[in-house]
Amino acid sequence: MTKLHLRGTDLRLAACWIGLIGALLGGCRRERADRAVSPAEVGRAATMRLEYTPVPIGAPVAEFGRPMVTHVKIVDLDRDGLSDVLYCDGRKNTVRWIRQAPRGVFTEHLIGEAPGPAHVDVADVNGTGRLDVLVASMGQIMPTNDQIGAVIVFENLDNQHFRRRVLLEQTARVTDLRAANLQGHTDGRLDLVVGQFGYAQGETRWMENQGNWQFRSEVVNTLSGCIHTPVADFDADGRPDFVALISQEWEEIHWFQNLGHGQLRDNLVWGSTNEDYGSSGLDVADVNRDGKPDLIYTNGDGFDYAVQVPRPWHGIQWLENRGNGLFKLRRVGKMAGAYSPCAADLNGDGCVDLLSVSTLAYWSDPNAVSMMAWLNDGREGFTPVVLAHRPIQLVTAAVGDLDGNGVPVIVTGGFHALPPFEHMSSVTLWRKK
């Protein structure tokens, strides 16, 4: 995520884009990971084959002119046994549902409007048996300290119609929204976790579900630049926790430990000494399959400079959960402009592989990489395999089984806010050859 360098001098020309770009997207030991991809790794990558065929789905590029897809998610929204795709469109400020019905046929539907939608998720917020659509609304793309963010839920009425509910508004720009039973409700209610990038001021909060669409809100961190807030039980105590990726000049990951009875403890579990590290994505996956949820993390942001170029430390890493609140950062590899870390067994060998896309690279070079897999050898070693050079400027990806055959597919979204305006895409489905 972009840094404002608020402690320093002038904001650079492209800082106007930092709000949306970043959204799209531990005792504290600090360490910096700059391991380069070795010639041996490059050689192994050249001998490994993992190929995908891209197919555009949903609204075409022409509908948007220059698509600005901020987030994609694979989920069976109507619970008909067929996985669908949800995505946020930052060009027309809409949330859209690419429904699969029947198998292999995709039809797009409009869920609703949300200003500056940055992230979409689903949850049965009040135990109705239907999945509601949760949207983090930034309010606008351009950076501002104005309180224009909102927490929006599209209540699922019948798997066809959705009622728009604004649960929080006139707040620092919202970049992530997740659901979790933090309070231990016994009637199916779910609370909400909210990440707020803001601009010079931001927040991380949770909202207790008091029933009948009433929520009590509590701020748990006041640093600006929160972009992602994934949920998991990190300490295996039976209570869901959540983590927050705080970008800007902080470049930190915080673990909010659920102590029960509405009490959350803020633990700083990792941070970079490099204020230009470029945090861009955080998610949860059990990478080493030891039963403990780990974190996968990309750093590839660099949009706050007049000349947008990748930095040599950009790439992907995972933070191994060693228990008792300890996380060990392990560098996976370099990737220019890395965003949107994903995890899945891509080659069917039983190991958890990683994937990332690039928003920021030297796109004038036809060999610039827009999507990369990182194949896990099961011994904490990863081999990079290039999956795509085109389309360019991918900011979001999701991996899941859309075809019902157990083979994961990839869905990506193109974000074309800055030139070059070529090799563009909206939502693309990638099937393994």
Side-chain angles (χ1 to χ4, degrees), residues 246-265:
I246 311 293
S247 58
Q248 295 288 63
E249 75 269 35
W250 316 109
E251 306 291 358
E252 296 174 346
I253 297 175
H254 291 243
W255 166 41
F256 293 91
Q257 183 182 13
N258 187 349
L259 304 178
H261 307 291
Q263 300 299 309
L264 294 168
R265 176 185 294 157

Side-chain angles (χ1 to χ4, degrees), residues 291-329:
K292 294 190 291 291
D294 307 307
L295 297 172
I296 50 176
Y297 165 50
T298 51
N299 62 306
D301 179 77
F303 283 86
D304 55 345
Y305 291 87
V307 178
Q308 291 83 38
V309 295
R311 302 293 184 256
W313 48 81
H314 284 179
I316 185 170
Q317 39 269 311
W318 66 288
L319 282 83
E320 180 189 1
N321 184 351
R322 293 188 166 184
N324 299 317
L326 298 178
F327 290 82
K328 170 66 176 179
L329 183 79

Side-chain angles (χ1 to χ4, degrees), residues 194 389 409 417:
V194 185
H389 300 283
V409 302

Side-chain angles (χ1 to χ4, degrees), residues 229-274:
T229 55
V231 174
D233 181 4
F234 292 102
D235 55 359
D237 65 355
R239 294 185 292 264
D241 315 301
F242 66 92
V243 291
L245 177 56
I246 311 293
S247 58
Q248 295 288 63
E249 75 269 35
W250 316 109
E251 306 291 358
E252 296 174 346
I253 297 175
H254 291 243
W255 166 41
F256 293 91
Q257 183 182 13
N258 187 349
L259 304 178
H261 307 291
Q263 300 299 309
L264 294 168
R265 176 185 294 157
D266 184 351
N267 303 276
L268 178 59
V269 297
W270 184 83
S272 175
T273 57
N274 180 0

Side-chain angles (χ1 to χ4, degrees), residues 128-261:
T128 64
R130 295 181 297 273
L131 293 175
D132 307 306
V133 179
L134 285 57
V135 180
S137 171
M138 297 183 71
Q140 71 174 45
I141 295 174
M142 302 296 286
T144 178
N145 278 324
D146 294 343
Q147 304 288 293
I148 58 173
V151 170
I152 299 174
V153 173
F154 290 96
E155 180 187 3
N156 188 341
L157 301 179
D158 56 6
N159 289 324
Q160 297 183 54
H161 304 91
F162 298 83
R163 177 186 292 132
R164 186 178 189 268
R165 292 184 177 273
V166 180
L167 306 183
L168 179 69
E169 57 185 336
Q170 297 182 344
T171 190
R173 295 183 303 161
V174 179
T175 48
D176 202 357
L177 179 61
R178 316 278 178 124
N181 188 1
L182 298 177
Q183 186 69 304
H185 306 290
T186 59
D187 58 359
R189 283 179 289 154
L190 295 178
D191 309 306
L192 301 175
V193 177
V194 185
Q196 298 178 245
F197 186 90
Y199 186 47
Q201 294 89 36
E203 296 166 332
T204 306
R205 72 173 69 219
W206 74 286
M207 298 172 63
E208 180 187 351
N209 188 343
Q210 298 182 314
N212 195 30
W213 293 102
Q214 300 299 309
F215 289 81
R216 180 188 67 85
S217 185
E218 179 180 341
V219 174
V220 293
N221 186 284
T222 58
L223 295 180
S224 60
C226 181
I227 56 177
H228 290 141
T229 55
V231 174
D233 181 4
F234 292 102
D235 55 359
D237 65 355
R239 294 185 292 264
D241 315 301
F242 66 92
V243 291
L245 177 56
I246 311 293
S247 58
Q248 295 288 63
E249 75 269 35
W250 316 109
E251 306 291 358
E252 296 174 346
I253 297 175
H254 291 243
W255 166 41
F256 293 91
Q257 183 182 13
N258 187 349
L259 304 178
H261 307 291

